[in-house]
Amino acid sequence: MSATLLGQSILSGIFAGSLYALIGLGMSLSWRYLRVINLAHFAFVFFAAYLTYEFAGVRGVNPFVVALALVPLFFLLGVLQQALILRFNVNEFSSVIVTYGLAIVAEALIQLIWSADYVRYENRAMHGNLALGTLLFPVADLVMAGIALGLCFAVWAVLHFTWLGKALRAGLDNPQIAASFGVPNQRLLLLVAGSAGALAAIGGFFVAVLYTLAPSQIFSWLGVVFAAVLLGGLGNPIGLVAASLLIGVSEAITMAITAPSWAPVVPFTLLILLLVLWPERV
Amino acid sequence: MSVSMSSQTFLPAHAPAKRWIAPALLLAATIVFVALPAFKPPPFFESLLYLLFFWIALATSWSILSGFTGYFSFGHGAFYGVGMYTTANLAGTLSIWWCLPIAALLAALLGVAIGAVVFRVRRLRGELFALLTLALTIVLATIILNTPIDGGPGKYLLGVQLPVIYENSATTIYLMGAGVAMGSLAIARWVQYSRLGRGLFAISDDEDVAEVLGVPTYRYKLLAFAISSGIAGVAGAVQAVFVSYVTVSETFSGTIALYVILMSVIGGARHWLGPAIGATFVTLLNFTFVSGDSALAARIVIGLALILATLFLPEGVVGLFRKRRLAHVEPAPEAAPAAQPAPVVQPETGAVATAHPQRRPILRGEGISLAFRGVQALDKVDFEIREGEILGLVGPNGSGKSTLINVMSGFYKPDAGRLLLDGEDIAKAPAHHIAQLGVARTFQIPRPFPRFTVLENVMVAAMFGGASMRQAASSAKAHDMLAFVGLADRAQALPSQLNLHQRKFLELARVLASDACIVMLDEVLAGLTPSEITSAIAMVRRIHGGTRTIVFVEHNMRAVIELTDRLIVLNQGRLIAEGKPREVMDNPAVVRAYLGAPDAEG
């Protein structure tokens, strides 16, 4: 294999991994801090992607305006979902099933509005490639990777260096004691849920920019994203970035060396080994 | 008494008069389904029924592992897929009658192989198990896709010779489906009411306690996994013939596993009939609304049903019926056991022979050490427990008393040392084995199985502990033991309806029902009021009955002095004193451990 081909594969692995991290960040936060394993997160991502397609693509609204509008909208959706989950006292395990039910409904609604056919948002704002030597850098991928990694670091910084991060960890350890020290647990949980929703919106925006959309594809990233979230450690954005890049690059190299159809073996074998040999990690 | 909580009791269905109803109905249904083609129903009817059978078999088989034990598998598609590809690869050369058992065997073997690794890891429960099974499915699918098992383009099942029973081979597929579905229901029902089922439900409620009571949890989970995946394999083997074209993306798509879960949760995953009810509901809904928008509407209804069932019907549709029935049944058993003049039975002493006057050692610990992350919880502890004595085990908080109990009951494995029970080293033995040898314990904070009735809680101990009784005998034994501890009138209640005092006595009843020769009581008096303590002390005396060996861990020194024959004292993981209670309490080392060293002494 030529060096260029290998380089280009690694590059595409880095971009794929960045998207896993972007989609996984919200999952990771809600799993760790809300104890909600949110399968509906993937439906949120796709709903945002379809809204991007609809407004930026079909109706010609400026894509950045669309992105700015999606973020608060999905923040609210995230808060709403969490409010319901808290209201009905859904435990960690039931959350998988309840949010799966939500995802089924969302998938059906998306199909109802946009049909089951593939649609593609042709954007002009982030078009073309940058060339560096023999390597090509697609602009849209670069922007996405920059924002994904930036967001992961930002979330990490907030969790580590602010009062908010401490309050969240305290509330997770013991809500009663945290509350007696003035931690507004309930509102913090809603804030995390809203942020996870907003992150889903950003992820969805880039899914629309980079990929062809179909309602049946909602769960196509489920496996890799789960693997990245768990490998990286719940609620650990830096670990998530590392795991996502590891998975993305190892997939890309597997594809380049063998065949694309072998790609899933690497990340899932990693995940299985992690779970069996090192279960304390998660 | 909250009736809504009582939905999980499975005793009513066990009433002798009703025992034959479900098997008779299953047999009748099978006869009807087998005879049906003779009346020439429209072809679509047969294929609808086939679909129904297929989903019933898959959902029912899923719940035998996942519903009964609470280990939710997201990988049921893998076992079904193994069945599919068995037929797809072998049906050209072998008769279909060979394919079915081979498919069952291969799928069961895969299940056992996975379980043999996964079930050893204590943390892999709940959502981590779900995730692991999901990942395994994807890896398996990738391997099949890239090897000659499939090779990529999918497999056509051309030229599969099916025996023609009625007029065409489509009916043969229908009949095979009926057989698999009815067979899986029969197996699920048998499992639910068998000893295996009791063990599985106990695992679902509290696996660690189940193990300590003597349930061989590892073996039972493997067995359930084998049955569950074997049935899925057969269902897949038949399905391959039905669809006649097998692809990896269809076979291993996540939707199979998710649909199966959805059906079981809606119908009730903890009952043999629940998944079938859910499967019927979902399949009929999908079949009624097949085209365009109405199909979408059906999907929305299914999604909402899943959410509502999870939120409001934790036991599924089946739970709804059982609640009704229990509402009628509830008042009766309240009186029944108590109506007998509850004789204060002297518990049988089981394996314990008449007390030797010289009290031979029955359990001996030699150099027991155990460290947790650098903290030496037990440091080369040597001790012996003598037959028929009440041995007090005392020491300040954090001195290692509970750890020692946990080691003796097999809950923890010591890093070093031997634990000789009648000469057999049980230091590394699994907890259920130790329980079956007649060592029983209570938990400091009572840990009853929350979804079992009080009676069923005690029955588990009688069935799986040293007594290892059959179900019928264990019920009688459990009634006796509840009468002994004064809980006879609460036999049909759920543990959540008892107060702390009663829950502690429930723990005692469990220990007694197991016919243990060594009973370890871990702070049974903690949290009780003074009058409750007095009655608890009397109870411990009666449990001892002059012959049973008791290890009594307690902080309450009045009780210790009053009850015990001999005392051992732990401090910071070391054994610091041993002997007669009064003498030990005056031992300077013991005084120091409890009160600290006086300044004057330096």
Side-chain angles (χ1 to χ4, degrees):
Chain A
M1 194 190 329
S2 74
T4 308
L5 186 59
L6 186 65
Q8 199 67 47
S9 311
I10 291 175
L11 199 58
S12 72
I14 291 174
F15 290 139
S18 305
L19 188 65
Y20 302 160
L22 182 56
I23 297 176
L25 186 55
M27 282 234 50
S28 183
L29 290 179
S30 69
W31 196 337
R32 168 91 158 96
Y33 292 106
L34 310 177
R35 304 315 293 174
V36 171
I37 303 170
N38 191 3
L39 293 183
H41 190 71
F42 296 93
F44 274 31
V45 168
F46 264 70
F47 188 41
Y50 268 96
L51 286 175
T52 307
Y53 158 76
E54 177 71 28
F55 286 97
V58 179
R59 305 187 187 208
V61 181
N62 182 321
F64 299 104
V65 175
V66 173
L68 281 181
L70 285 178
V71 168
L73 175 69
F74 278 78
F75 186 94
L76 282 181
L77 282 178
V79 169
L80 188 69
Q81 186 192 330
Q82 182 63 20
L84 288 174
I85 283 176
L86 288 173
R87 161 75 185 73
F88 288 105
N89 215 353
V90 179
N91 67 26
E92 187 167 357
F93 196 80
S94 302
S95 75
V96 184
I97 298 168
V98 171
T99 56
Y100 172 56
L102 282 175
I104 294 178
V105 175
E107 186 190 340
L109 287 176
I110 288 175
Q111 193 174 330
L112 204 60
I113 301 172
W114 286 287
S115 89
D117 298 334
Y118 282 89
V119 298
R120 181 85 173 101
Y121 160 48
E122 300 289 348
N123 77 308
R124 280 173 213 86
M126 288 177 276
H127 199 67
N129 296 303
L130 297 180
L132 187 77
T134 51
L135 292 181
L136 289 179
F137 293 79
V139 175
D141 278 303
L142 268 182
V143 174
M144 181 274 295
I147 288 181
L149 301 185
L151 280 171
C152 286
F153 280 101
V155 169
W156 171 78
V158 167
L159 289 175
H160 270 258
F161 300 119
T162 66
W163 174 85
L164 183 68
K166 280 198 195 100
L168 273 174
R169 280 197 295 280
L172 199 62
D173 254 14
N174 191 324
Q176 282 84 29
I177 292 179
S180 69
F181 280 89
V183 174
N185 290 311
Q186 200 85 347
R187 263 183 294 162
L188 284 182
L189 296 187
L190 294 179
L191 178 66
V192 172
S195 310
L199 288 167
I202 300 170
F205 175 80
F206 282 106
V207 167
V209 169
L210 296 169
Y211 290 89
T212 305
L213 304 175
S216 58
Q217 306 228 302
I218 283 186
F219 285 121
S220 54
W221 278 296
L222 175 82
V224 267
V225 169
F226 259 60
V229 165
L230 281 165
L231 272 175
L234 298 181
N236 177 354
I238 301 298
L240 175 67
V241 168
S244 301
L245 293 181
L246 177 71
I247 290 172
V249 171
S250 63
E251 270 185 335
I253 294 179
T254 315
M255 277 192 239
I257 294 176
T258 60
S261 54
W262 275 109
V265 160
V266 177
F268 289 104
T269 308
L270 276 177
L271 177 66
I272 292 165
L273 291 178
L274 169 84
L275 285 173
V276 172
L277 301 178
W278 202 19
E280 309 81 36
R281 183 78 181 79
V282 284
Chain B
M1 184 178 298
S2 122
V3 173
S4 68
M5 295 285 296
S6 311
S7 55
Q8 220 17 253
T9 55
F10 26 79
L11 268 181
H14 229 56
K18 286 182 176 177
R19 228 178 187 170
W20 52 271
I21 288 183
L25 284 177
L26 265 182
L27 189 65
T30 312
I31 292 171
V32 168
F33 288 135
V34 169
L36 190 69
F39 299 95
K40 301 208 175 4
F44 88 89
F45 195 65
E46 260 179 28
S47 60
L48 167 64
L49 277 179
Y50 170 77
L51 271 182
L52 204 58
F53 293 148
F54 168 70
W55 285 113
I56 287 176
L58 269 196
T60 305
S61 62
W62 178 84
S63 73
I64 290 175
L65 173 73
S66 301
F68 290 3
T69 65
Y71 277 80
F72 270 39
S73 159
F74 278 59
H76 210 52
F79 309 108
Y80 149 82
V82 167
M84 290 273 267
Y85 275 94
T86 304
T87 320
N89 281 289
L90 296 182
T93 46
L94 287 178
S95 135
I96 185 75
W97 304 118
W98 278 107
C99 292
L100 298 186
I102 293 174
L105 191 68
L106 288 178
L109 279 178
L110 178 67
V112 169
I114 294 171
V117 176
V118 172
F119 290 148
R120 286 189 190 283
V121 186
R122 216 179 242 191
R123 280 215 44 172
L124 290 184
R125 298 178 183 171
E127 67 283 345
L128 292 187
F129 180 77
L131 189 69
L132 190 94
T133 50
L134 178 76
L136 281 164
T137 309
I138 295 171
V139 170
L140 184 69
T142 313
I143 291 173
I144 289 180
L145 181 70
N146 289 285
T147 53
I149 301 172
D150 181 282
K155 287 258 174 186
Y156 283 99
L157 283 91
L158 298 173
V160 175
Q161 293 299 315
L162 286 180
V164 177
I165 298 174
Y166 283 99
E167 267 160 21
N168 56 39
S169 52
T171 304
T172 307
I173 299 175
Y174 157 86
L175 288 174
M176 289 194 288
V180 177
M182 296 302 127
S184 62
L185 283 174
I187 292 172
R189 184 179 183 281
W190 171 77
V191 170
Q192 177 167 351
Y193 294 110
S194 70
R195 197 179 175 81
L196 172 64
R198 291 276 164 158
L200 296 179
F201 283 110
I203 289 170
S204 158
D205 266 15
D206 192 331
E207 183 165 350
D208 296 334
V209 173
E211 174 78 24
V212 165
L213 288 183
V215 178
T217 54
Y218 181 69
R219 214 178 335 136
Y220 272 24
K221 286 185 290 182
L222 276 188
L223 197 54
F225 209 168
I227 296 173
S228 165
S229 46
I231 297 174
V234 180
V238 177
Q239 176 76 352
V241 187
F242 179 76
V243 294
S244 78
Y245 174 51
V246 182
T247 63
V248 166
S249 60
E250 286 281 320
T251 307
F252 293 95
S253 80
T255 42
I256 300 277
L258 291 171
Y259 256 68
V260 166
I261 295 171
L262 181 153
M263 290 167 174
S264 303
V265 168
I266 290 176
R270 275 169 67 95
H271 189 277
W272 63 276
L273 197 53
I277 293 173
T280 309
F281 168 73
V282 173
T283 310
L284 289 184
L285 203 66
N286 273 336
F287 193 84
T288 317
F289 305 98
V290 269
S291 61
D293 287 355
S294 62
L296 287 177
R299 290 240 294 285
I300 293 176
V301 171
I302 290 170
L304 290 176
L306 186 61
I307 297 171
L308 294 177
T310 316
L311 295 184
F312 301 111
L313 287 178
E315 308 294 345
V317 176
V318 169
L320 216 59
F321 288 106
R322 299 170 123 199
K323 264 179 223 172
R324 290 267 167 72
R325 198 166 60 192
L326 272 166
H328 295 301
V329 171
E330 193 85 22
E334 195 83 50
Q340 305 149 4
V344 178
V345 280
Q346 199 65 19
E348 302 149 43
T349 45
V352 181
T354 44
H356 286 254
Q358 72 272 29
R359 301 228 151 135
R360 79 185 170 93
I362 181 166
L363 181 72
R364 192 204 310 274
E366 294 175 356
I368 302 283
S369 292
L370 177 59
F372 298 107
R373 296 180 180 221
V375 178
Q376 197 68 40
L378 293 174
D379 190 2
K380 302 197 192 74
V381 178
D382 296 309
F383 64 94
E384 62 178 37
I385 299 171
R386 297 173 192 159
E387 192 164 17
E389 72 175 346
I390 301 183
L391 173 71
L393 175 54
V394 300
N397 282 324
S399 58
K401 304 182 299 286
S402 287
T403 310
L404 189 56
I405 295 276
N406 281 326
V407 166
M408 285 194 281
S409 60
F411 204 65
Y412 294 152
K413 304 280 166 261
D415 298 331
R418 299 202 302 164
L419 203 54
L420 299 168
L421 178 67
D422 275 337
E424 182 191 349
D425 186 3
I426 56 167
K428 302 284 179 200
H432 71 262
H433 179 65
I434 296 176
Q436 284 160 5
L437 291 175
V439 180
R441 66 167 296 180
T442 63
F443 287 89
Q444 193 174 337
I445 297 162
R447 285 172 73 172
F449 300 115
R451 287 180 287 192
F452 281 38
T453 62
V454 166
L455 180 71
E456 288 165 347
N457 261 288
V458 183
M459 280 174 67
V460 171
M463 286 168 67
F464 293 98
S468 76
M469 291 177 157
R470 302 180 64 87
Q471 288 210 55
S474 76
S475 170
K477 175 95 179 171
H479 273 300
D480 286 350
M481 291 308 124
L482 285 174
F484 183 77
V485 300
L487 285 175
D489 57 335
R490 308 295 284 158
Q492 298 302 327
L494 285 173
S496 58
Q497 298 161 331
L498 304 183
N499 62 29
L500 176 66
H501 178 225
Q502 291 171 322
R503 262 182 280 165
K504 295 220 163 188
F505 276 32
L506 170 58
E507 291 265 313
L508 296 181
R510 282 210 298 211
V511 159
L512 287 172
S514 72
D515 268 352
C517 54
I518 302 180
V519 171
M520 299 185 284
L521 304 175
D522 194 358
E523 299 198 23
V524 279
L525 307 183
L528 299 185
T529 64
S531 69
E532 286 171 341
I533 287 178
T534 307
S535 80
I537 290 176
M539 181 60 65
V540 173
R541 257 193 224 294
R542 278 159 62 202
I543 290 170
H544 177 237
T547 54
R548 201 188 294 263
T549 313
I550 289 183
V551 179
F552 187 66
V553 177
E554 195 46 68
H555 278 302
N556 183 320
M557 285 305 154
R558 170 175 76 100
V560 171
I561 304 277
E562 216 173 288
L563 272 172
T564 59
D565 302 317
R566 205 162 60 89
L567 216 52
I568 55 179
V569 187
L570 286 177
N571 187 34
Q572 297 181 341
R574 288 211 177 82
L575 191 114
I576 56 167
E578 188 257 309
K580 294 224 174 295
R582 296 261 173 217
E583 292 162 18
V584 168
M585 295 316 289
D586 294 335
N587 181 325
V590 175
V591 175
R592 255 201 310 280
Y594 270 94
L595 302 174
D599 283 343
E601 278 184 20

